[in-house]
């Protein structure tokens, strides 16, 4: 007769799964802060119930089931997290005053390190770059919560329909119907779950260097050559979004607080499995936190920039709020 599992067993066996569960909750919620809270709640619920865990499924499956239920309960009382592109047409005048809306629960980027991207974990498929791309997370937020859960469990985690039905409390037939509707809606988004994420090419890396140089030297004219003709720039919590290289350049000229070379410092980071930068703005001898930018390539040019101004993100990414001038040399 085997010994009954103990809480100490749970902590030892479950802790290595924390990052992949955070990635799962992030896909569901669109917020790294919400995801962290819900992972904590998942572990608390699981720890309390572990003595009754019968082992009919794997511990991983059991934890995902609890995490999914926890997310669905949380989503009952929360609005979807959009990007500005999900709310209306592009802004026509880049020089018009920016409109800020702090009441909208905007989508947030996630640090690669928190989501476990690029690790050699056997379960790396559930934290792969493909499944946390910014555009995909934004598209998922437009699905009803149960559709979102079913799609993630079936197409990201590759669960069987019967496992998904048990996790979301419905029948196998209902799961298949929900999945069909979710796939149809997601097929209108780009990228899809089936699109691979390729490593950056040498040309793309060189273009990122030019992107950094353009902002740090305040060479706005050179930005035009870095974007695709239909490139999109959006920056929550500002509700407007902008399309086309000339419009993006005009936006930078008229709305960016930088005025001269050296006003901005870009620090490379990684978010959503994509190239990203932490931007600092110079005030005196100190660079202060400004924004987190997540870039998406389309071919050999930049097709999308998401600029996020939420103050707490710098702490989430493990970044200092101030970048001393001596560190920039």
């Amino acid at each position: 007769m085997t010994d009954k599992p103990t809480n100490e067993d749970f902590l030892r066996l479950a802790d290595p799964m924390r990052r992949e569960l955070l990635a799962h909750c992030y896909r569901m919620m669109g917020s790294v802060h919400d995801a962290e809270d819900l992972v904590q709640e998942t572990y608390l619920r699981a720890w309390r119930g572990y003595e009754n865990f019968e082992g009919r499924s794997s511990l991983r499956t059991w934890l995902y089931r609890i995490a999914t239920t926890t997310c669905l309960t949380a989503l009952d009382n929360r609005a979807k997290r959009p990007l500005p592109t999900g709310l209306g047409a592009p802004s026509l005048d880049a020089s018009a005053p920016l409109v800020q809306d702090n009441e909208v629960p905007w989508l947030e980027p996630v640090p690669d390190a928190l989501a476990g991207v690029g690790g050699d974990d056997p379960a790396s498929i559930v934290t792969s770059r493909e499944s946390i791309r910014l555009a995909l997370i934004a598209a998922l937020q437009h699905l009803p919560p149960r559709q979102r859960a079913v799609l993630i469990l079936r197409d990201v985690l590759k669960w069987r329909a019967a496992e998904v039905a048990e996790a979301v409390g419905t029948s196998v037939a209902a799961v298949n119907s929900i999945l069909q509707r979710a796939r149809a809606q997601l097929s209108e988004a780009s990228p899809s779950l089936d699109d691979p994420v390729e490593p950056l090419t040498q040309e793309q890396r060189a273009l990122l260097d030019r992107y950094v140089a353009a902002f740090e030297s305040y060479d706005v004219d050179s930005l035009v050559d870095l974007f695709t003709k239909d490139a999109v720039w959006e920056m929550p919590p500002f509700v407007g979004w902008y399309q086309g290289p000339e419009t993006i350049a005009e936006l930078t000229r008229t709305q960016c607080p930088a005025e001269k070379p050296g006003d901005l410092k870009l620090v490379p980071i990684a978010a959503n499995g994509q190239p990203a930068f932490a931007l600092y703005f110079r005030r005196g001898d100190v660079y202060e936190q400004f924004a987190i930018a997540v870039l998406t390539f389309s071919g050999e040019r930049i097709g999308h920039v998401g600029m996020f101004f939420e103050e707490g993100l710098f702490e989430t990414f493990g970044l200092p709020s101030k970048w001393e001038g001596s560190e920039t040399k």
Side-chain angles (χ1 to χ4, degrees), residues 102-136:
N102 290 317
E103 298 302 315
V104 174
W106 297 104
L107 187 74
E108 298 172 353
V110 65
D112 282 9
L114 282 183
V117 171
D120 53 4
D121 191 306
S124 61
I125 186 169
V126 303
T127 53
S128 64
R129 292 182 298 166
E130 288 88 346
S131 63
I132 62 164
R133 284 169 291 178
L134 195 64
L136 187 61

Side-chain angles (χ1 to χ4, degrees), residues 182-222:
R183 283 174 173 170
Q185 185 165 337
L186 198 68
S187 68
E188 302 173 4
S190 179
S192 74
L193 274 167
D194 298 325
D195 293 336
V197 173
E198 302 293 345
L200 293 179
T201 65
Q202 185 176 350
E203 289 77 10
Q204 289 171 334
R205 292 184 184 279
L207 189 137
L208 287 177
D209 291 340
R210 292 167 58 194
Y211 180 89
V212 171
F215 275 99
E216 293 190 342
S217 64
Y218 198 61
D219 181 6
V220 178
D221 291 338
S222 68

